[in-house]
Amino acid sequence: MNFLDILNPQQKSAVTAADGAVLVIAGPGSGKTRVLTQRVAYLIASEGVRPWQILAVTFTNKAAKEMQERVNSMLNEQTTEGIMLGTFHSICVRILRREADHLPLESNFVIFDSDDQERIVKAIIREFNLNEKLYRPASIHAAISRAKNELIGADDYPINTYRDEVVKRVYTEYQKRLVSMNAVDFDDILVYTARLLEDVPAVRDKYAQRFRHVLVDEFQDTNLAQYALVKHLASYHKNIFCVGDPDQSVYGWRGADWRNVQRFEQDFPNARVVLLEQNYRSHQNILDAATGVIDRAHNRKKKRLFSDRGAGDRIFFYEARDDYGEASFVVDTIAQLVASGDFEPGDCAVMYRTNAMSRLIEEAFLQARLPYRLVGAQRFYGRREVKDVIAFMRLVHNPADEASLDRIINVPPRGIGEKTLTTLHMIARQNETSPAAILLDLARGADSPFYKSFTGRAAVPLADFGGMLGNWRALAATRTIPELFDKILQDINYKDHIVEDDSEESADRWENVQELKRLAMEYSTRTMDEFLENIALIADQDTITDLNAPTLLTLHAAKGLEFRAVFIVGLDDGIIPHSRSFDEPEQMEEERRLFYVGITRAKDKLYLLRAIQRGGRGMAEETYPSRFMDDIPEALLVGKTRTGRPMRGAPLETKWSLQSPPQSAPVAASKYHAGTRIKHATWGEGIILNSRLQDGDEIVDVVFESVGIKRLAASLANLQII
């Protein structure tokens, strides 16, 4: 039992807690993995619990493996053999295969992946003669998945709209087909197990009596189905030990429900609650900044995070002139940290709200000839939607580019399958020309000598595509690159193709396209050769490396990681917090928690950055500091601002010798009002959502059909009332 000696009083209290329900609220960097593993070791070595009487549930196989290795190192493999330790899904699959007699499935059921699931939904939508544009397979399947996470079956699916009725019909048929194929999806694995334990008392009692102790990691990330599971499995002995932190619940879009912590306290009113508040990761100034942000959250159990590592440096705030300056500052500062000899490149991390924001940062690293690692996402130029649009532009510029043609000839789907594409290439080779040349000629319809080489079903979409390609090539001679960019996306309805639903993933895909558009805007007066050459030089670099290099990642991907120096970019209202959360209080709460997670990844140094103007060179969209910055105590901040704009009602000291941007004359009264229709030179028509006077200017929130909600300074935006 010597391992108990290394625990602090709070950790020891959790590890040695008596039987019953225990809720451990573990602050960031407080050693929750240590507490979990030592709890398992303590139960075996001190309380006489047999290994096979312990169930420990985690969210990743990596975490399960790490826990198993730690327990084995404290005891030995023979002593710990038989512990049921794994992810929710792996443990549930084991139970379902053993109890298949109680299911509408055979024990050798197969598990369908996400592609399989969506393919089935798509087939059902087509068979029901539903409009795929109105009822997108991905969106319908997402609705089914959300229902399953809430333990809502097809028969009980609530109907409030006609769309709900469609979802219910598809959901019912989808489940029938899964059963007929002896298959389950990921959600079914949890739902079947929860219902089995609910509806078959004999099965529930068998497992609940076996597991004297049930331990759950990352409890704040559980959904309702997972909560029901652990509650059933702990129903006999009532020994349930949950570790988590509601302040780090940032996966609501995946179905996670931080309110399970509240449900736990209601269902187990005599539960012992232990707060792990000592942080072993960060300096105190970083923890105080994080506390200032998270203390403004609602309905939370407050913690006093403290560290024995000393106060450390103050948090450095930097306000760049634009997003290029923001990216340059990050790379230059990392280079200085490494040059000082106190930091390794791998000690540094750059975090951002959305994947699209990596583009400028990646380019800044490339221009500085410095390697970097991208975590949790592809490089910007490797993302599907970005590669699609670039392929269209390359094909227009060079019709002989067969690689680009093959990539996008059926994007979005237009009925050109592999067989037709193979025939197109064969005919091109027979006629010693390019496939694109055949397409351009097919645009003439039946007058083309190649038209009869294809079936009527294939010739029509080929001719249509050839017509669009010919039109784009003609326009390329007179239109700017941004204009051609917009025309291509409009002609193929590309936004409808990639924005499948209102999920964050769909929004991110469209945001990536808009980020590429911002790059195209910089080539308004330059050639297509220059535009494509710039992209090719960046895209051809192998930037994903295992070398000692700075890490680039989203705030969501940062959860569970730590770095000596952390740079959080994009601290502008509308980015952090994201504009999608402005009218959704629950989403705003999650945005706050996400920022808190980012701050608490830093061990020694924390840099918070924003840009006065964002959107690329040549754009004039002014931004305003994130509202979350107001929650960080001013005494903890040090840094530089180019404008001296007040962040808390008083101007910050200006430490830059560069001339500030010219200030517009103060605005005496509002010119724009909610509901006013306006037109913007770049984004087209929009509607004013609200307006207010601030710092001598009128600040307006506008919803544009093309780009969504934007916050603009009226003096810079040049809006036209229509």
Side-chain angles (χ1 to χ4, degrees):
M1 298 299 292
N2 293 335
F3 56 78
L4 293 177
D5 296 337
I6 64 173
L7 301 176
N8 66 40
Q10 292 172 312
Q11 292 173 331
K12 189 172 183 178
S13 175
V15 169
T16 61
D19 285 358
V22 180
L23 177 62
V24 181
I25 305 296
S30 61
K32 72 175 181 63
T33 304
R34 171 184 290 179
V35 166
L36 269 169
T37 54
Q38 298 214 13
R39 173 67 171 176
V40 173
Y42 174 79
L43 291 173
I44 295 172
S46 180
E47 296 298 302
V49 179
R50 310 298 294 169
W52 53 267
Q53 294 177 311
I54 296 174
L55 170 65
V57 189
T58 68
F59 268 82
T60 66
N61 290 313
K62 179 181 178 182
K65 182 180 179 181
E66 181 182 352
M67 282 184 63
Q68 186 71 64
E69 290 173 348
R70 289 196 186 190
V71 173
N72 289 345
S73 68
M74 284 186 281
L75 303 175
N76 60 65
E77 290 191 29
Q78 288 74 32
T79 305
T80 61
E81 186 176 356
I83 297 175
M84 187 173 278
L85 195 160
T87 64
F88 274 99
H89 287 88
S90 66
I91 289 171
C92 287
V93 166
R94 278 187 259 177
I95 293 175
L96 291 177
R97 293 203 189 280
R98 292 174 184 172
E99 309 298 336
D101 289 346
H102 300 282
L103 304 173
L105 302 166
E106 301 295 327
S107 60
N108 62 343
F109 59 80
V110 297
I111 302 170
F112 280 174
D113 63 20
S114 55
D115 287 340
D116 296 327
Q117 298 163 28
E118 192 169 323
R119 195 176 301 115
I120 296 171
V121 172
K122 186 174 184 177
I124 295 170
I125 289 173
R126 287 182 173 176
E127 290 177 26
F128 284 1
N129 292 318
L130 296 168
N131 187 330
E132 282 189 54
K133 291 186 177 180
L134 289 177
Y135 305 105
R136 298 182 180 280
S139 178
I140 298 297
H141 181 263
I144 294 172
S145 179
R146 286 193 296 270
K148 290 184 178 183
N149 285 335
E150 297 294 323
L151 293 176
I152 300 172
D155 292 341
D156 300 320
Y157 192 86
I159 298 177
N160 297 310
T161 65
Y162 179 69
R163 180 182 178 80
D164 293 338
E165 184 177 328
V166 170
V167 172
K168 182 169 185 171
R169 288 172 58 205
V170 175
Y171 187 178
T172 301
E173 181 62 24
Y174 173 70
Q175 285 305 115
K176 287 180 181 177
R177 297 196 183 187
L178 287 179
V179 171
S180 69
M181 291 182 278
N182 195 36
V184 297
D185 62 20
F186 296 125
D187 299 314
D188 283 334
I189 293 171
L190 303 177
V191 172
Y192 273 126
T193 310
R195 287 181 176 163
L196 176 67
L197 298 176
E198 174 74 30
D199 299 338
V200 187
V203 174
R204 179 178 65 243
D205 292 345
K206 178 170 69 173
Y207 290 97
Q209 290 177 26
R210 170 186 167 178
F211 298 126
R212 282 182 56 188
H213 289 269
V214 176
L215 299 88
V216 185
D217 191 14
E218 301 288 4
F219 186 58
Q220 77 282 346
D221 290 337
T222 55
N223 59 33
L224 192 60
Q226 289 162 330
Y227 178 68
L229 279 168
V230 295
K231 187 178 168 186
H232 285 312
L233 291 170
S235 61
Y236 186 83
H237 295 287
K238 309 292 185 183
N239 296 327
I240 182 168
F241 187 94
C242 296
V243 181
D245 184 3
D247 292 341
Q248 296 184 72
S249 179
V250 295
Y251 295 130
W253 48 282
R254 291 183 184 173
D257 192 343
W258 62 273
R259 288 168 297 191
N260 282 344
V261 174
Q262 296 177 342
R263 293 187 178 104
F264 181 94
E265 294 182 296
Q266 292 169 0
D267 292 337
F268 300 94
N270 297 321
R272 180 174 181 180
V273 179
V274 181
L275 300 181
L276 300 187
E277 299 171 301
Q278 182 170 357
N279 179 286
Y280 292 90
R281 175 187 300 153
S282 308
H283 286 296
Q284 191 63 47
N285 281 341
I286 293 172
L287 297 179
D288 289 345
T291 299
V293 170
I294 202 63
D295 271 354
R296 296 290 300 276
H298 301 293
N299 301 316
R300 62 177 292 270
K301 191 180 296 293
K302 290 194 175 183
K303 300 185 293 294
R304 185 183 66 87
L305 300 179
F306 66 94
S307 171
D308 289 340
R309 298 193 61 216
D313 294 338
R314 287 195 285 172
I315 290 93
F316 197 99
F317 171 73
Y318 180 76
E319 187 177 59
R321 186 179 297 277
D322 56 25
D323 36 10
Y324 285 85
E326 182 182 57
S328 296
F329 176 86
V330 169
V331 175
D332 292 347
T333 305
I334 290 176
Q336 292 171 10
L337 291 175
V338 174
S340 72
D342 294 331
F343 287 78
E344 292 291 324
D347 291 334
C348 305
V350 187
M351 301 176 186
Y352 33 81
R353 178 60 181 83
T354 63
N355 282 315
M357 296 182 69
S358 76
R359 198 261 297 180
L360 290 181
I361 299 168
E362 290 182 66
E363 290 186 4
F365 273 104
L366 291 169
Q367 290 168 6
R369 298 180 181 275
L370 295 174
Y372 63 91
R373 293 187 304 144
L374 198 64
V375 172
Q378 292 176 300
R379 293 179 305 114
F380 178 79
Y381 292 103
R383 293 166 191 156
R384 184 196 79 188
E385 56 276 7
V386 174
K387 293 179 73 173
D388 282 351
V389 178
I390 291 172
F392 276 105
M393 303 290 278
R394 283 172 49 180
L395 183 64
V396 172
H397 185 62
N398 175 23
D401 183 350
E402 293 189 18
S404 293
L405 175 65
D406 289 353
R407 178 180 181 86
I408 50 81
I409 192 170
N410 200 41
V411 175
R414 51 177 62 89
I416 302 175
E418 289 295 328
K419 185 177 180 181
T420 301
L421 185 58
T422 300
T423 303
L424 175 64
H425 279 281
M426 181 185 68
I427 293 173
R429 285 195 297 272
Q430 290 173 349
N431 288 274
E432 298 183 350
T433 186
S434 70
I438 301 291
L439 289 171
L440 292 169
D441 195 77
L442 284 171
R444 297 190 293 135
D447 291 337
S448 170
F450 305 114
Y451 199 84
K452 293 184 179 179
S453 301
F454 301 90
T455 64
R457 187 175 180 182
V460 172
L462 288 172
D464 288 346
F465 186 77
M468 286 194 296
L469 179 59
N471 186 38
W472 297 333
R473 284 187 51 75
L475 291 173
T478 58
R479 299 284 185 92
T480 65
I481 292 172
E483 289 172 339
L484 181 61
F485 186 108
D486 285 341
K487 178 61 174 172
I488 292 174
L489 265 60
Q490 177 184 340
D491 285 353
I492 64 174
N493 293 319
Y494 192 67
K495 184 176 182 179
D496 288 343
H497 172 58
I498 64 171
V499 180
E500 298 172 332
D501 49 39
D502 58 357
S503 68
E504 187 154 333
E505 292 93 334
S506 286
D508 281 350
R509 286 195 289 269
W510 183 243
E511 201 162 324
N512 288 333
V513 174
Q514 292 304 297
E515 180 65 23
L516 185 63
K517 167 69 180 299
R518 286 189 276 271
L519 175 64
M521 291 290 293
E522 298 175 22
Y523 288 79
S524 295
T525 59
R526 300 166 70 180
T527 67
M528 183 71 80
D529 275 329
E530 293 175 292
F531 176 67
L532 295 175
E533 180 181 320
N534 174 63
I535 289 173
L537 290 175
I538 293 173
D540 287 343
Q541 302 237 10
D542 183 14
T543 58
I544 302 177
T545 172
D546 292 329
L547 296 177
N548 181 13
T551 301
L552 278 57
L553 71 172
T554 65
L555 288 165
H556 279 104
K559 190 166 175 288
L561 304 177
E562 60 180 37
F563 303 90
R564 288 190 62 200
V566 167
F567 297 75
I568 302 179
V569 302
L571 278 164
D572 310 321
D573 237 28
I575 297 179
I576 305 174
H578 200 283
S579 58
R580 290 193 295 269
S581 69
F582 284 175
D583 297 322
E584 297 291 339
E586 186 59 42
Q587 289 185 27
M588 182 63 74
E589 290 286 288
E590 184 157 319
E591 292 290 310
R592 179 179 295 278
R593 296 194 294 268
L594 190 60
F595 185 35
Y596 171 78
V597 165
I599 292 174
T600 54
R601 302 308 95 193
K603 299 170 69 175
D604 300 323
K605 288 183 176 291
L606 176 63
Y607 298 83
L608 304 178
L609 296 90
R610 68 172 301 268
I612 298 169
Q613 291 185 356
R614 191 173 294 277
R617 292 171 180 145
M619 304 290 285
E621 180 186 356
E622 186 171 0
T623 65
Y624 283 82
S626 167
R627 63 194 69 189
F628 295 156
M629 287 299 300
D630 291 338
D631 301 328
I632 297 177
E634 191 167 3
L636 299 178
L637 292 171
V638 64
K640 301 178 180 180
T641 171
R642 290 181 182 271
T643 63
R645 178 189 291 116
M647 291 180 61
R648 297 180 178 79
L652 293 173
E653 179 184 358
T654 301
K655 299 185 179 180
W656 283 82
S657 59
L658 298 175
Q659 182 179 358
S660 296
Q663 300 297 310
S664 58
V667 176
S670 296
K671 178 180 178 182
Y672 304 96
H673 305 282
T676 302
R677 293 193 63 84
I678 56 87
K679 187 173 184 179
H680 185 274
T682 302
W683 298 313
E685 294 186 7
I687 299 175
I688 302 290
L689 293 178
N690 56 66
S691 169
R692 69 181 185 278
L693 298 179
Q694 179 177 314
D695 301 332
D697 203 346
E698 184 175 3
I699 309 303
V700 293
D701 291 331
V702 188
V703 58
F704 293 98
E705 289 187 10
S706 58
V707 294
I709 297 174
K710 293 289 183 181
R711 178 165 294 175
L712 307 172
S715 63
L716 297 173
N718 193 26
L719 302 176
Q720 176 186 352
I721 296 177
I722 56 176

